[in-house]
PDB file of all heavy atoms in Angstrom:
ATOM      1  N   VAL A   1      -2.418  -3.997  -6.740  1.00  0.00           N
ATOM      2  CA  VAL A   1      -2.629  -2.613  -6.280  1.00  0.00           C
ATOM      3  C   VAL A   1      -4.003  -2.098  -6.725  1.00  0.00           C
ATOM      4  O   VAL A   1      -4.774  -1.519  -5.948  1.00  0.00           O
ATOM      5  CB  VAL A   1      -1.526  -1.656  -6.812  1.00  0.00           C
ATOM      6  CG1 VAL A   1      -1.896  -0.201  -6.529  1.00  0.00           C
ATOM      7  CG2 VAL A   1      -0.178  -1.978  -6.168  1.00  0.00           C
ATOM      8  N   ARG A   2      -4.377  -2.448  -7.977  1.00  0.00           N
ATOM      9  CA  ARG A   2      -5.666  -2.003  -8.477  1.00  0.00           C
ATOM     10  C   ARG A   2      -6.813  -2.644  -7.632  1.00  0.00           C
ATOM     11  O   ARG A   2      -7.796  -1.970  -7.301  1.00  0.00           O
ATOM     12  CB  ARG A   2      -5.835  -2.400  -9.948  1.00  0.00           C
ATOM     13  CG  ARG A   2      -7.173  -1.929 -10.563  1.00  0.00           C
ATOM     14  CD  ARG A   2      -7.434  -2.648 -11.840  1.00  0.00           C
ATOM     15  NE  ARG A   2      -6.482  -2.304 -12.860  1.00  0.00           N
ATOM     16  CZ  ARG A   2      -6.202  -3.094 -13.913  1.00  0.00           C
ATOM     17  NH1 ARG A   2      -6.823  -4.244 -13.995  1.00  0.00           N
ATOM     18  NH2 ARG A   2      -5.275  -2.728 -14.762  1.00  0.00           N
ATOM     19  N   TYR A   3      -6.667  -3.927  -7.373  1.00  0.00           N
ATOM     20  CA  TYR A   3      -7.646  -4.633  -6.566  1.00  0.00           C
ATOM     21  C   TYR A   3      -7.741  -3.994  -5.182  1.00  0.00           C
ATOM     22  O   TYR A   3      -8.840  -3.811  -4.640  1.00  0.00           O
ATOM     23  CB  TYR A   3      -7.248  -6.131  -6.402  1.00  0.00           C
ATOM     24  CG  TYR A   3      -8.059  -6.901  -5.431  1.00  0.00           C
ATOM     25  CD1 TYR A   3      -9.308  -7.429  -5.846  1.00  0.00           C
ATOM     26  CD2 TYR A   3      -7.586  -7.171  -4.138  1.00  0.00           C
ATOM     27  CE1 TYR A   3     -10.077  -8.187  -4.908  1.00  0.00           C
ATOM     28  CE2 TYR A   3      -8.342  -7.909  -3.248  1.00  0.00           C
ATOM     29  CZ  TYR A   3      -9.588  -8.413  -3.640  1.00  0.00           C
ATOM     30  OH  TYR A   3     -10.327  -9.129  -2.751  1.00  0.00           O
ATOM     31  N   SER A   4      -6.641  -3.624  -4.580  1.00  0.00           N
ATOM     32  CA  SER A   4      -6.618  -3.023  -3.266  1.00  0.00           C
ATOM     33  C   SER A   4      -7.304  -1.689  -3.278  1.00  0.00           C
ATOM     34  O   SER A   4      -8.077  -1.356  -2.362  1.00  0.00           O
ATOM     35  CB  SER A   4      -5.146  -2.825  -2.769  1.00  0.00           C
ATOM     36  OG  SER A   4      -4.441  -4.056  -2.729  1.00  0.00           O
ATOM     37  N   LEU A   5      -7.093  -0.882  -4.269  1.00  0.00           N
ATOM     38  CA  LEU A   5      -7.664   0.463  -4.326  1.00  0.00           C
ATOM     39  C   LEU A   5      -9.196   0.438  -4.572  1.00  0.00           C
ATOM     40  O   LEU A   5      -9.856   1.473  -4.391  1.00  0.00           O
ATOM     41  CB  LEU A   5      -6.977   1.291  -5.430  1.00  0.00           C
ATOM     42  CG  LEU A   5      -5.505   1.612  -5.140  1.00  0.00           C
ATOM     43  CD1 LEU A   5      -4.897   2.425  -6.304  1.00  0.00           C
ATOM     44  CD2 LEU A   5      -5.335   2.373  -3.823  1.00  0.00           C
ATOM     45  N   ASN A   6      -9.720  -0.686  -5.009  1.00  0.00           N
ATOM     46  CA  ASN A   6     -11.182  -0.812  -5.177  1.00  0.00           C
ATOM     47  C   ASN A   6     -11.912  -0.572  -3.880  1.00  0.00           C
ATOM     48  O   ASN A   6     -13.085  -0.211  -3.878  1.00  0.00           O
ATOM     49  CB  ASN A   6     -11.545  -2.159  -5.773  1.00  0.00           C
ATOM     50  CG  ASN A   6     -11.209  -2.268  -7.250  1.00  0.00           C
ATOM     51  OD1 ASN A   6     -11.097  -1.263  -7.917  1.00  0.00           O
ATOM     52  ND2 ASN A   6     -11.096  -3.490  -7.722  1.00  0.00           N
ATOM     53  N   TYR A   7     -11.233  -0.857  -2.746  1.00  0.00           N
ATOM     54  CA  TYR A   7     -11.871  -0.733  -1.388  1.00  0.00           C
ATOM     55  C   TYR A   7     -11.791   0.732  -0.903  1.00  0.00           C
ATOM     56  O   TYR A   7     -12.376   1.061   0.113  1.00  0.00           O
ATOM     57  CB  TYR A   7     -11.196  -1.628  -0.421  1.00  0.00           C
ATOM     58  CG  TYR A   7     -11.380  -3.109  -0.665  1.00  0.00           C
ATOM     59  CD1 TYR A   7     -10.407  -3.849  -1.297  1.00  0.00           C
ATOM     60  CD2 TYR A   7     -12.606  -3.733  -0.339  1.00  0.00           C
ATOM     61  CE1 TYR A   7     -10.594  -5.212  -1.556  1.00  0.00           C
ATOM     62  CE2 TYR A   7     -12.772  -5.072  -0.599  1.00  0.00           C
ATOM     63  CZ  TYR A   7     -11.787  -5.817  -1.194  1.00  0.00           C
ATOM     64  OH  TYR A   7     -11.982  -7.153  -1.456  1.00  0.00           O
ATOM     65  N   VAL A   8     -11.035   1.580  -1.588  1.00  0.00           N
ATOM     66  CA  VAL A   8     -10.697   2.862  -1.051  1.00  0.00           C
ATOM     67  C   VAL A   8     -11.508   3.999  -1.717  1.00  0.00           C
ATOM     68  O   VAL A   8     -11.725   3.969  -2.915  1.00  0.00           O
ATOM     69  CB  VAL A   8      -9.170   3.160  -1.219  1.00  0.00           C
ATOM     70  CG1 VAL A   8      -8.782   4.466  -0.590  1.00  0.00           C
ATOM     71  CG2 VAL A   8      -8.343   2.010  -0.683  1.00  0.00           C
ATOM     72  N   SER A   9     -11.945   4.998  -0.908  1.00  0.00           N
ATOM     73  CA  SER A   9     -12.657   6.111  -1.436  1.00  0.00           C
ATOM     74  C   SER A   9     -11.700   6.939  -2.312  1.00  0.00           C
ATOM     75  O   SER A   9     -10.483   6.912  -2.133  1.00  0.00           O
ATOM     76  CB  SER A   9     -13.182   7.005  -0.279  1.00  0.00           C
ATOM     77  OG  SER A   9     -12.095   7.551   0.452  1.00  0.00           O
ATOM     78  N   TRP A  10     -12.321   7.656  -3.249  1.00  0.00           N
ATOM     79  CA  TRP A  10     -11.482   8.455  -4.173  1.00  0.00           C
ATOM     80  C   TRP A  10     -10.575   9.459  -3.413  1.00  0.00           C
ATOM     81  O   TRP A  10      -9.439   9.696  -3.817  1.00  0.00           O
ATOM     82  CB  TRP A  10     -12.379   9.240  -5.129  1.00  0.00           C
ATOM     83  CG  TRP A  10     -12.939   8.338  -6.237  1.00  0.00           C
ATOM     84  CD1 TRP A  10     -14.167   7.863  -6.359  1.00  0.00           C
ATOM     85  CD2 TRP A  10     -12.218   7.882  -7.390  1.00  0.00           C
ATOM     86  NE1 TRP A  10     -14.300   7.065  -7.491  1.00  0.00           N
ATOM     87  CE2 TRP A  10     -13.103   7.106  -8.137  1.00  0.00           C
ATOM     88  CE3 TRP A  10     -10.910   8.034  -7.839  1.00  0.00           C
ATOM     89  CZ2 TRP A  10     -12.709   6.451  -9.332  1.00  0.00           C
ATOM     90  CZ3 TRP A  10     -10.510   7.434  -9.020  1.00  0.00           C
ATOM     91  CH2 TRP A  10     -11.423   6.643  -9.720  1.00  0.00           C
ATOM     92  N   LYS A  11     -11.095   9.976  -2.348  1.00  0.00           N
ATOM     93  CA  LYS A  11     -10.374  11.014  -1.599  1.00  0.00           C
ATOM     94  C   LYS A  11      -9.101  10.425  -0.989  1.00  0.00           C
ATOM     95  O   LYS A  11      -8.061  11.146  -0.891  1.00  0.00           O
ATOM     96  CB  LYS A  11     -11.314  11.516  -0.450  1.00  0.00           C
ATOM     97  CG  LYS A  11     -10.712  12.643   0.374  1.00  0.00           C
ATOM     98  CD  LYS A  11     -11.682  13.092   1.419  1.00  0.00           C
ATOM     99  CE  LYS A  11     -11.071  14.219   2.264  1.00  0.00           C
ATOM    100  NZ  LYS A  11     -12.032  14.646   3.327  1.00  0.00           N
ATOM    101  N   MET A  12      -9.087   9.156  -0.627  1.00  0.00           N
ATOM    102  CA  MET A  12      -7.943   8.549   0.065  1.00  0.00           C
ATOM    103  C   MET A  12      -7.070   7.702  -0.828  1.00  0.00           C
ATOM    104  O   MET A  12      -6.040   7.174  -0.383  1.00  0.00           O
ATOM    105  CB  MET A  12      -8.451   7.701   1.237  1.00  0.00           C
ATOM    106  CG  MET A  12      -9.272   8.477   2.242  1.00  0.00           C
ATOM    107  SD  MET A  12      -8.403   9.973   2.888  1.00  0.00           S
ATOM    108  CE  MET A  12      -6.992   9.213   3.687  1.00  0.00           C
ATOM    109  N   ARG A  13      -7.431   7.536  -2.066  1.00  0.00           N
ATOM    110  CA  ARG A  13      -6.700   6.594  -2.966  1.00  0.00           C
ATOM    111  C   ARG A  13      -5.243   6.954  -3.126  1.00  0.00           C
ATOM    112  O   ARG A  13      -4.385   6.084  -3.133  1.00  0.00           O
ATOM    113  CB  ARG A  13      -7.416   6.500  -4.326  1.00  0.00           C
ATOM    114  CG  ARG A  13      -8.606   5.603  -4.345  1.00  0.00           C
ATOM    115  CD  ARG A  13      -9.046   5.246  -5.696  1.00  0.00           C
ATOM    116  NE  ARG A  13     -10.124   4.240  -5.688  1.00  0.00           N
ATOM    117  CZ  ARG A  13     -10.557   3.579  -6.753  1.00  0.00           C
ATOM    118  NH1 ARG A  13     -10.029   3.807  -7.924  1.00  0.00           N
ATOM    119  NH2 ARG A  13     -11.501   2.710  -6.603  1.00  0.00           N
ATOM    120  N   GLU A  14      -4.960   8.212  -3.325  1.00  0.00           N
ATOM    121  CA  GLU A  14      -3.581   8.594  -3.549  1.00  0.00           C
ATOM    122  C   GLU A  14      -2.688   8.248  -2.374  1.00  0.00           C
ATOM    123  O   GLU A  14      -1.585   7.675  -2.558  1.00  0.00           O
ATOM    124  CB  GLU A  14      -3.519  10.101  -3.830  1.00  0.00           C
ATOM    125  CG  GLU A  14      -2.113  10.568  -4.215  1.00  0.00           C
ATOM    126  CD  GLU A  14      -2.048  12.025  -4.598  1.00  0.00           C
ATOM    127  OE1 GLU A  14      -3.126  12.652  -4.704  1.00  0.00           O
ATOM    128  OE2 GLU A  14      -0.933  12.578  -4.770  1.00  0.00           O
ATOM    129  N   GLN A  15      -3.149   8.481  -1.154  1.00  0.00           N
ATOM    130  CA  GLN A  15      -2.336   8.189   0.001  1.00  0.00           C
ATOM    131  C   GLN A  15      -2.179   6.688   0.220  1.00  0.00           C
ATOM    132  O   GLN A  15      -1.064   6.220   0.557  1.00  0.00           O
ATOM    133  CB  GLN A  15      -2.960   8.794   1.258  1.00  0.00           C
ATOM    134  CG  GLN A  15      -2.107   8.632   2.537  1.00  0.00           C
ATOM    135  CD  GLN A  15      -0.713   9.201   2.405  1.00  0.00           C
ATOM    136  OE1 GLN A  15      -0.548  10.358   2.016  1.00  0.00           O
ATOM    137  NE2 GLN A  15       0.301   8.405   2.675  1.00  0.00           N
ATOM    138  N   VAL A  16      -3.234   5.935   0.005  1.00  0.00           N
ATOM    139  CA  VAL A  16      -3.141   4.480   0.136  1.00  0.00           C
ATOM    140  C   VAL A  16      -2.176   3.920  -0.918  1.00  0.00           C
ATOM    141  O   VAL A  16      -1.358   3.013  -0.614  1.00  0.00           O
ATOM    142  CB  VAL A  16      -4.526   3.812   0.000  1.00  0.00           C
ATOM    143  CG1 VAL A  16      -4.403   2.285  -0.061  1.00  0.00           C
ATOM    144  CG2 VAL A  16      -5.406   4.209   1.185  1.00  0.00           C
ATOM    145  N   ALA A  17      -2.276   4.409  -2.140  1.00  0.00           N
ATOM    146  CA  ALA A  17      -1.360   3.959  -3.204  1.00  0.00           C
ATOM    147  C   ALA A  17       0.089   4.253  -2.856  1.00  0.00           C
ATOM    148  O   ALA A  17       0.983   3.397  -3.136  1.00  0.00           O
ATOM    149  CB  ALA A  17      -1.727   4.644  -4.555  1.00  0.00           C
ATOM    150  N   VAL A  18       0.343   5.410  -2.262  1.00  0.00           N
ATOM    151  CA  VAL A  18       1.726   5.752  -1.808  1.00  0.00           C
ATOM    152  C   VAL A  18       2.249   4.767  -0.757  1.00  0.00           C
ATOM    153  O   VAL A  18       3.358   4.294  -0.849  1.00  0.00           O
ATOM    154  CB  VAL A  18       1.758   7.228  -1.243  1.00  0.00           C
ATOM    155  CG1 VAL A  18       3.094   7.475  -0.545  1.00  0.00           C
ATOM    156  CG2 VAL A  18       1.543   8.206  -2.388  1.00  0.00           C
ATOM    157  N   ASP A  19       1.364   4.436   0.191  1.00  0.00           N
ATOM    158  CA  ASP A  19       1.770   3.473   1.219  1.00  0.00           C
ATOM    159  C   ASP A  19       1.946   2.037   0.724  1.00  0.00           C
ATOM    160  O   ASP A  19       2.802   1.295   1.206  1.00  0.00           O
ATOM    161  CB  ASP A  19       0.753   3.519   2.391  1.00  0.00           C
ATOM    162  CG  ASP A  19       0.853   4.794   3.199  1.00  0.00           C
ATOM    163  OD1 ASP A  19       1.826   5.552   3.023  1.00  0.00           O
ATOM    164  OD2 ASP A  19      -0.052   5.078   4.003  1.00  0.00           O
ATOM    165  N   LEU A  20       1.154   1.663  -0.272  1.00  0.00           N
ATOM    166  CA  LEU A  20       1.343   0.378  -0.892  1.00  0.00           C
ATOM    167  C   LEU A  20       2.678   0.308  -1.686  1.00  0.00           C
ATOM    168  O   LEU A  20       3.375  -0.706  -1.656  1.00  0.00           O
ATOM    169  CB  LEU A  20       0.167   0.064  -1.873  1.00  0.00           C
ATOM    170  CG  LEU A  20      -1.161  -0.314  -1.227  1.00  0.00           C
ATOM    171  CD1 LEU A  20      -2.245  -0.423  -2.270  1.00  0.00           C
ATOM    172  CD2 LEU A  20      -1.055  -1.607  -0.455  1.00  0.00           C
ATOM    173  N   LYS A  21       3.013   1.411  -2.303  1.00  0.00           N
ATOM    174  CA  LYS A  21       4.282   1.473  -3.066  1.00  0.00           C
ATOM    175  C   LYS A  21       5.481   1.282  -2.112  1.00  0.00           C
ATOM    176  O   LYS A  21       6.511   0.707  -2.519  1.00  0.00           O
ATOM    177  CB  LYS A  21       4.387   2.784  -3.793  1.00  0.00           C
ATOM    178  CG  LYS A  21       5.579   2.801  -4.776  1.00  0.00           C
ATOM    179  CD  LYS A  21       5.606   4.035  -5.610  1.00  0.00           C
ATOM    180  CE  LYS A  21       6.775   4.015  -6.606  1.00  0.00           C
ATOM    181  NZ  LYS A  21       6.799   5.241  -7.471  1.00  0.00           N
ATOM    182  N   LYS A  22       5.339   1.712  -0.859  1.00  0.00           N
ATOM    183  CA  LYS A  22       6.405   1.516   0.088  1.00  0.00           C
ATOM    184  C   LYS A  22       6.682   0.076   0.335  1.00  0.00           C
ATOM    185  O   LYS A  22       7.810  -0.328   0.686  1.00  0.00           O
ATOM    186  CB  LYS A  22       6.056   2.226   1.457  1.00  0.00           C
ATOM    187  CG  LYS A  22       5.978   3.726   1.376  1.00  0.00           C
ATOM    188  CD  LYS A  22       5.540   4.323   2.725  1.00  0.00           C
ATOM    189  CE  LYS A  22       5.429   5.820   2.642  1.00  0.00           C
ATOM    190  NZ  LYS A  22       4.918   6.368   3.932  1.00  0.00           N
ATOM    191  N   ILE A  23       5.656  -0.779   0.163  1.00  0.00           N
ATOM    192  CA  ILE A  23       5.814  -2.207   0.370  1.00  0.00           C
ATOM    193  C   ILE A  23       6.575  -2.836  -0.775  1.00  0.00           C
ATOM    194  O   ILE A  23       7.614  -3.476  -0.672  1.00  0.00           O
ATOM    195  CB  ILE A  23       4.450  -2.943   0.525  1.00  0.00           C
ATOM    196  CG1 ILE A  23       3.660  -2.341   1.688  1.00  0.00           C
ATOM    197  CG2 ILE A  23       4.651  -4.450   0.729  1.00  0.00           C
ATOM    198  CD1 ILE A  23       2.224  -2.837   1.773  1.00  0.00           C
ATOM    199  N   TYR A  24       6.055  -2.634  -2.043  1.00  0.00           N
ATOM    200  CA  TYR A  24       6.648  -3.330  -3.203  1.00  0.00           C
ATOM    201  C   TYR A  24       7.923  -2.673  -3.745  1.00  0.00           C
ATOM    202  O   TYR A  24       8.583  -3.233  -4.604  1.00  0.00           O
ATOM    203  CB  TYR A  24       5.665  -3.575  -4.303  1.00  0.00           C
ATOM    204  CG  TYR A  24       5.061  -2.337  -4.951  1.00  0.00           C
ATOM    205  CD1 TYR A  24       5.765  -1.674  -5.991  1.00  0.00           C
ATOM    206  CD2 TYR A  24       3.797  -1.928  -4.674  1.00  0.00           C
ATOM    207  CE1 TYR A  24       5.217  -0.570  -6.621  1.00  0.00           C
ATOM    208  CE2 TYR A  24       3.227  -0.842  -5.294  1.00  0.00           C
ATOM    209  CZ  TYR A  24       3.968  -0.158  -6.298  1.00  0.00           C
ATOM    210  OH  TYR A  24       3.399   0.936  -6.918  1.00  0.00           O
ATOM    211  N   SER A  25       8.312  -1.519  -3.188  1.00  0.00           N
ATOM    212  CA  SER A  25       9.552  -0.909  -3.607  1.00  0.00           C
ATOM    213  C   SER A  25      10.679  -1.168  -2.615  1.00  0.00           C
ATOM    214  O   SER A  25      11.809  -0.658  -2.792  1.00  0.00           O
ATOM    215  CB  SER A  25       9.377   0.621  -3.736  1.00  0.00           C
ATOM    216  OG  SER A  25       8.961   1.182  -2.522  1.00  0.00           O
ATOM    217  N   CYS A  26      10.451  -2.010  -1.648  1.00  0.00           N
ATOM    218  CA  CYS A  26      11.458  -2.374  -0.658  1.00  0.00           C
ATOM    219  C   CYS A  26      12.609  -3.214  -1.292  1.00  0.00           C
ATOM    220  O   CYS A  26      12.385  -3.882  -2.321  1.00  0.00           O
ATOM    221  CB  CYS A  26      10.881  -3.198   0.476  1.00  0.00           C
ATOM    222  SG  CYS A  26       9.877  -2.212   1.605  1.00  0.00           S
ATOM    223  N   ALA A  27      13.762  -3.161  -0.685  1.00  0.00           N
ATOM    224  CA  ALA A  27      14.920  -3.903  -1.237  1.00  0.00           C
ATOM    225  C   ALA A  27      14.859  -5.361  -0.866  1.00  0.00           C
ATOM    226  O   ALA A  27      15.363  -6.240  -1.630  1.00  0.00           O
ATOM    227  CB  ALA A  27      16.189  -3.299  -0.691  1.00  0.00           C
ATOM    228  N   THR A  28      14.272  -5.705   0.293  1.00  0.00           N
ATOM    229  CA  THR A  28      14.273  -7.129   0.734  1.00  0.00           C
ATOM    230  C   THR A  28      12.869  -7.544   1.172  1.00  0.00           C
ATOM    231  O   THR A  28      12.004  -6.714   1.428  1.00  0.00           O
ATOM    232  CB  THR A  28      15.239  -7.326   1.901  1.00  0.00           C
ATOM    233  OG1 THR A  28      14.727  -6.564   3.011  1.00  0.00           O
ATOM    234  CG2 THR A  28      16.616  -6.824   1.527  1.00  0.00           C
ATOM    235  N   VAL A  29      12.682  -8.841   1.326  1.00  0.00           N
ATOM    236  CA  VAL A  29      11.424  -9.387   1.769  1.00  0.00           C
ATOM    237  C   VAL A  29      11.155  -8.953   3.217  1.00  0.00           C
ATOM    238  O   VAL A  29      10.042  -8.570   3.566  1.00  0.00           O
ATOM    239  CB  VAL A  29      11.418 -10.938   1.681  1.00  0.00           C
ATOM    240  CG1 VAL A  29      10.143 -11.493   2.321  1.00  0.00           C
ATOM    241  CG2 VAL A  29      11.524 -11.390   0.256  1.00  0.00           C
ATOM    242  N   ASP A  30      12.206  -8.976   4.054  1.00  0.00           N
ATOM    243  CA  ASP A  30      12.028  -8.615   5.455  1.00  0.00           C
ATOM    244  C   ASP A  30      11.545  -7.151   5.618  1.00  0.00           C
ATOM    245  O   ASP A  30      10.659  -6.855   6.376  1.00  0.00           O
ATOM    246  CB  ASP A  30      13.330  -8.825   6.214  1.00  0.00           C
ATOM    247  CG  ASP A  30      13.698 -10.285   6.387  1.00  0.00           C
ATOM    248  OD1 ASP A  30      12.793 -11.168   6.252  1.00  0.00           O
ATOM    249  OD2 ASP A  30      14.850 -10.592   6.621  1.00  0.00           O
ATOM    250  N   GLU A  31      12.157  -6.302   4.795  1.00  0.00           N
ATOM    251  CA  GLU A  31      11.773  -4.871   4.849  1.00  0.00           C
ATOM    252  C   GLU A  31      10.353  -4.698   4.325  1.00  0.00           C
ATOM    253  O   GLU A  31       9.567  -3.924   4.926  1.00  0.00           O
ATOM    254  CB  GLU A  31      12.755  -4.066   3.993  1.00  0.00           C
ATOM    255  CG  GLU A  31      12.486  -2.554   4.079  1.00  0.00           C
ATOM    256  CD  GLU A  31      13.333  -1.731   3.099  1.00  0.00           C
ATOM    257  OE1 GLU A  31      14.274  -2.327   2.477  1.00  0.00           O
ATOM    258  OE2 GLU A  31      13.060  -0.535   2.957  1.00  0.00           O
ATOM    259  N   ALA A  32       9.994  -5.459   3.307  1.00  0.00           N
ATOM    260  CA  ALA A  32       8.625  -5.356   2.730  1.00  0.00           C
ATOM    261  C   ALA A  32       7.595  -5.834   3.791  1.00  0.00           C
ATOM    262  O   ALA A  32       6.548  -5.216   3.919  1.00  0.00           O
ATOM    263  CB  ALA A  32       8.534  -6.209   1.462  1.00  0.00           C
ATOM    264  N   GLU A  33       7.946  -6.879   4.508  1.00  0.00           N
ATOM    265  CA  GLU A  33       7.006  -7.358   5.540  1.00  0.00           C
ATOM    266  C   GLU A  33       6.810  -6.349   6.652  1.00  0.00           C
ATOM    267  O   GLU A  33       5.707  -6.201   7.158  1.00  0.00           O
ATOM    268  CB  GLU A  33       7.494  -8.679   6.089  1.00  0.00           C
ATOM    269  CG  GLU A  33       6.451  -9.443   6.869  1.00  0.00           C
ATOM    270  CD  GLU A  33       6.608 -10.968   6.828  1.00  0.00           C
ATOM    271  OE1 GLU A  33       7.676 -11.426   6.392  1.00  0.00           O
ATOM    272  OE2 GLU A  33       5.691 -11.662   7.280  1.00  0.00           O
ATOM    273  N   GLN A  34       7.902  -5.629   6.997  1.00  0.00           N
ATOM    274  CA  GLN A  34       7.795  -4.594   7.989  1.00  0.00           C
ATOM    275  C   GLN A  34       6.889  -3.484   7.506  1.00  0.00           C
ATOM    276  O   GLN A  34       6.054  -2.968   8.285  1.00  0.00           O
ATOM    277  CB  GLN A  34       9.222  -4.050   8.297  1.00  0.00           C
ATOM    278  CG  GLN A  34       9.254  -2.906   9.299  1.00  0.00           C
ATOM    279  CD  GLN A  34       8.661  -3.271  10.657  1.00  0.00           C
ATOM    280  OE1 GLN A  34       8.807  -4.399  11.092  1.00  0.00           O
ATOM    281  NE2 GLN A  34       7.912  -2.352  11.280  1.00  0.00           N
ATOM    282  N   ARG A  35       7.030  -3.118   6.216  1.00  0.00           N
ATOM    283  CA  ARG A  35       6.200  -2.040   5.675  1.00  0.00           C
ATOM    284  C   ARG A  35       4.735  -2.503   5.608  1.00  0.00           C
ATOM    285  O   ARG A  35       3.823  -1.701   5.826  1.00  0.00           O
ATOM    286  CB  ARG A  35       6.683  -1.687   4.238  1.00  0.00           C
ATOM    287  CG  ARG A  35       8.024  -1.023   4.227  1.00  0.00           C
ATOM    288  CD  ARG A  35       7.927   0.444   4.731  1.00  0.00           C
ATOM    289  NE  ARG A  35       9.216   1.108   4.757  1.00  0.00           N
ATOM    290  CZ  ARG A  35      10.031   1.110   5.770  1.00  0.00           C
ATOM    291  NH1 ARG A  35       9.710   0.518   6.920  1.00  0.00           N
ATOM    292  NH2 ARG A  35      11.223   1.712   5.720  1.00  0.00           N
ATOM    293  N   LEU A  36       4.498  -3.781   5.377  1.00  0.00           N
ATOM    294  CA  LEU A  36       3.147  -4.314   5.344  1.00  0.00           C
ATOM    295  C   LEU A  36       2.549  -4.223   6.738  1.00  0.00           C
ATOM    296  O   LEU A  36       1.343  -3.887   6.930  1.00  0.00           O
ATOM    297  CB  LEU A  36       3.124  -5.730   4.837  1.00  0.00           C
ATOM    298  CG  LEU A  36       1.748  -6.424   4.796  1.00  0.00           C
ATOM    299  CD1 LEU A  36       0.757  -5.619   3.947  1.00  0.00           C
ATOM    300  CD2 LEU A  36       1.885  -7.842   4.217  1.00  0.00           C
ATOM    301  N   THR A  37       3.338  -4.545   7.755  1.00  0.00           N
ATOM    302  CA  THR A  37       2.844  -4.388   9.164  1.00  0.00           C
ATOM    303  C   THR A  37       2.487  -2.939   9.491  1.00  0.00           C
ATOM    304  O   THR A  37       1.460  -2.696  10.102  1.00  0.00           O
ATOM    305  CB  THR A  37       3.947  -4.899  10.136  1.00  0.00           C
ATOM    306  OG1 THR A  37       4.267  -6.262   9.816  1.00  0.00           O
ATOM    307  CG2 THR A  37       3.462  -4.798  11.543  1.00  0.00           C
ATOM    308  N   GLU A  38       3.303  -2.008   8.988  1.00  0.00           N
ATOM    309  CA  GLU A  38       3.028  -0.580   9.189  1.00  0.00           C
ATOM    310  C   GLU A  38       1.768  -0.211   8.437  1.00  0.00           C
ATOM    311  O   GLU A  38       0.927   0.621   8.953  1.00  0.00           O
ATOM    312  CB  GLU A  38       4.218   0.243   8.725  1.00  0.00           C
ATOM    313  CG  GLU A  38       5.451   0.071   9.570  1.00  0.00           C
ATOM    314  CD  GLU A  38       6.679   0.770   8.962  1.00  0.00           C
ATOM    315  OE1 GLU A  38       6.516   1.400   7.864  1.00  0.00           O
ATOM    316  OE2 GLU A  38       7.815   0.658   9.519  1.00  0.00           O
ATOM    317  N   PHE A  39       1.553  -0.765   7.252  1.00  0.00           N
ATOM    318  CA  PHE A  39       0.351  -0.483   6.486  1.00  0.00           C
ATOM    319  C   PHE A  39      -0.900  -0.953   7.245  1.00  0.00           C
ATOM    320  O   PHE A  39      -1.946  -0.292   7.305  1.00  0.00           O
ATOM    321  CB  PHE A  39       0.449  -1.144   5.099  1.00  0.00           C
ATOM    322  CG  PHE A  39      -0.751  -0.869   4.206  1.00  0.00           C
ATOM    323  CD1 PHE A  39      -0.732   0.208   3.320  1.00  0.00           C
ATOM    324  CD2 PHE A  39      -1.899  -1.641   4.262  1.00  0.00           C
ATOM    325  CE1 PHE A  39      -1.797   0.478   2.509  1.00  0.00           C
ATOM    326  CE2 PHE A  39      -2.967  -1.380   3.454  1.00  0.00           C
ATOM    327  CZ  PHE A  39      -2.937  -0.291   2.537  1.00  0.00           C
ATOM    328  N   GLU A  40      -0.805  -2.134   7.819  1.00  0.00           N
ATOM    329  CA  GLU A  40      -1.910  -2.693   8.594  1.00  0.00           C
ATOM    330  C   GLU A  40      -2.301  -1.764   9.754  1.00  0.00           C
ATOM    331  O   GLU A  40      -3.473  -1.523   9.997  1.00  0.00           O
ATOM    332  CB  GLU A  40      -1.549  -4.079   9.113  1.00  0.00           C
ATOM    333  CG  GLU A  40      -1.503  -5.151   8.034  1.00  0.00           C
ATOM    334  CD  GLU A  40      -0.925  -6.448   8.530  1.00  0.00           C
ATOM    335  OE1 GLU A  40      -0.019  -6.440   9.373  1.00  0.00           O
ATOM    336  OE2 GLU A  40      -1.424  -7.524   8.071  1.00  0.00           O
TER     337      GLU A  40
END
């Protein structure tokens, strides 16, 4: 997550961090992959 946020402006970091959390807080791998697709 820290590595990912290095690419993000300070203004947008909080929102990007929230969307990344949606990926790693998923219950299953399939759900996490879906959230990653949405993030993309």
